[in-house]
Amino acid sequence: MKSIFKPCFKLICLSCLLLLAGCDDGKQAGEKAAQQQPVLARHQDRFGRYDSIGNLGGKPVSIPGGVVFTWVRYIGDPGDFDSSKQAQKYQRPPITYQLPIDSFGFQYRLTDGAVKTRREQTDEDYLRDNETLIPVGKPFPWGYTIVYNIVDPHQPLNFNKALASDLQATKTVNKFDYFEQPQKIFGLTYLQANNGIDPSTNQPWQDNISGPDILISKNAQGEIKTYIQCDFIGEIQSCTHEFYIDGMPVVVHISYNRIYLEKWRQTEKNIAGILDSWVVTDKGALIKKQAGKV
């Protein structure tokens, strides 16, 4: 009687050999794929913190980790407070220099154009200013800055529509108009709410709620590239300043004490330079000295 174990044993051995061959082929394929993946340059600061990378305004960027306030958001990321099932299941694509950034924030010093970096001197300066200037009502020299990426090629790179919408809303809801004033303020066109008069009292405005000052700057083509709204009443008057950057489709939002409004041109120039210092090659090689990195 022939044993059935011999042919079974041969079949098992053959199966094992085929499995090993398949594993070896898979290993070689994996190694080949790994070799084909571009090696990305990732930069660190002197504390070992890695830069945040991505694509901003169509350009690869490497943003020092100590500079970013909270974190960098990427296009497609769920909202911070989104608890939906879709958000919980979301898996972000691998972070590369081509992954579009949505937004990020940092602190900018209006007096000298410095960027706050955690654990560096500017971090100590920021904390000291918080403790010594704010409690006594002195101007705080820091502006919280948010950079928003623009990825829609059809989105206009100006505030013309935004201003028209705001003025129409004011007229519809608050029942008054804004009027352009004959004198500019620091080179900015000045629009004043109802010529400075509260229509409900026929007296000068007593608050900033309904009609903040609006200040704009247009380019030669009539496009509004700078849009600022400022308080004009109170011991501490704040401004929200938005602007577009030439050569990089992003919009920047910065808020600061109105006393620094006179620096609006230099502020825009400095922040444009800061963002440009973070632009790198497609593979991540540095081009310039990065702002905020010692």
Side-chain angles (χ1 to χ4, degrees):
M1 187 175 181
K2 284 188 176 181
S3 171
I4 62 171
F5 294 105
K6 268 192 177 181
C8 286
F9 179 73
K10 288 180 180 178
L11 286 172
I12 292 170
C13 289
L14 181 60
S15 299
C16 289
L17 288 171
L18 290 171
L19 182 61
L20 289 171
C23 289
D24 188 58
D25 288 344
K27 182 181 178 183
Q28 290 179 5
E31 290 175 349
K32 186 176 180 181
Q35 290 172 358
Q36 290 174 346
Q37 291 292 326
V39 178
L40 299 178
R42 291 298 301 272
H43 305 287
Q44 297 171 274
D45 62 14
R46 65 194 186 98
F47 300 107
R49 297 175 295 200
Y50 280 98
D51 289 4
S52 295
I53 68 171
N55 196 277
L56 182 68
K59 298 179 180 181
V61 293
S62 187
I63 308 165
V67 165
V68 177
F69 187 81
T70 62
W71 54 79
V72 171
R73 291 180 55 82
Y74 295 87
I75 297 293
D77 283 357
D80 295 341
F81 304 102
D82 188 349
S83 58
S84 66
K85 290 184 178 179
Q86 185 178 0
Q88 293 173 11
K89 293 179 181 179
Y90 176 74
Q91 291 186 336
R92 179 191 290 158
I95 297 178
T96 67
Y97 289 104
Q98 284 68 51
L99 185 65
I101 289 171
D102 178 84
S103 59
F104 65 95
F106 62 93
Q107 294 284 355
Y108 167 83
R109 187 159 58 194
L110 290 115
T111 50
D112 63 356
V115 176
K116 185 177 88 70
T117 306
R118 291 187 300 279
R119 298 175 67 184
E120 297 290 3
Q121 181 61 49
T122 49
D123 199 21
E124 296 180 20
D125 296 343
Y126 180 85
L127 293 173
R128 184 194 63 244
D129 292 341
N130 254 310
E131 294 170 355
T132 61
L133 300 179
I134 292 179
V136 296
K138 290 186 177 180
F140 189 59
W142 298 88
Y144 180 50
T145 307
I146 307 176
V147 181
Y148 297 96
N149 197 7
I150 298 173
V151 295
D152 182 357
H154 303 294
Q155 180 175 334
L157 302 180
N158 60 64
F159 296 107
N160 294 53
K161 188 175 180 180
L163 175 62
S165 177
D166 288 348
L167 296 182
Q168 183 59 46
T170 298
K171 186 173 185 176
T172 302
V173 177
N174 297 319
K175 309 302 181 184
F176 64 82
D177 290 306
Y178 270 83
F179 295 91
E180 183 175 332
Q181 301 303 302
Q183 297 296 322
K184 291 190 174 186
I185 297 179
F186 306 124
L188 292 159
T189 299
Y190 174 32
L191 303 176
Q192 189 179 40
N194 203 44
N195 283 323
I197 300 299
D198 183 346
S200 65
T201 63
N202 282 327
Q203 298 295 320
W205 291 101
Q206 297 299 309
D207 62 61
N208 302 290
I209 299 172
S210 299
D213 286 344
I214 294 177
L215 304 113
I216 62 173
S217 178
K218 298 180 181 180
N219 63 12
Q221 289 72 43
E223 296 177 310
I224 301 172
K225 292 292 189 175
T226 297
Y227 186 15
I228 305 173
Q229 296 189 53
C230 291
D231 298 337
F232 55 90
I233 291 173
E235 291 184 13
I236 299 177
Q237 299 172 16
S238 299
C239 292
T240 57
H241 177 170
E242 295 179 282
F243 62 96
Y244 289 94
I245 294 178
D246 292 335
M248 179 181 276
V250 300
V251 61
V252 179
H253 175 109
I254 179 172
S255 54
Y256 50 75
N257 190 298
R258 182 165 178 159
I259 196 171
Y260 299 112
L261 177 62
E262 63 179 347
K263 297 179 179 292
W264 73 271
R265 278 197 184 93
Q266 191 62 46
T267 296
E268 293 186 2
K269 181 180 178 181
N270 288 347
I271 291 177
I274 289 167
L275 298 183
D276 187 60
S277 79
W278 297 335
V279 174
V280 295
T281 67
D282 289 340
K283 291 186 177 180
L286 298 179
I287 299 173
K288 299 180 179 179
K289 177 175 171 54
Q290 296 168 288
K293 187 177 285 187
V294 176

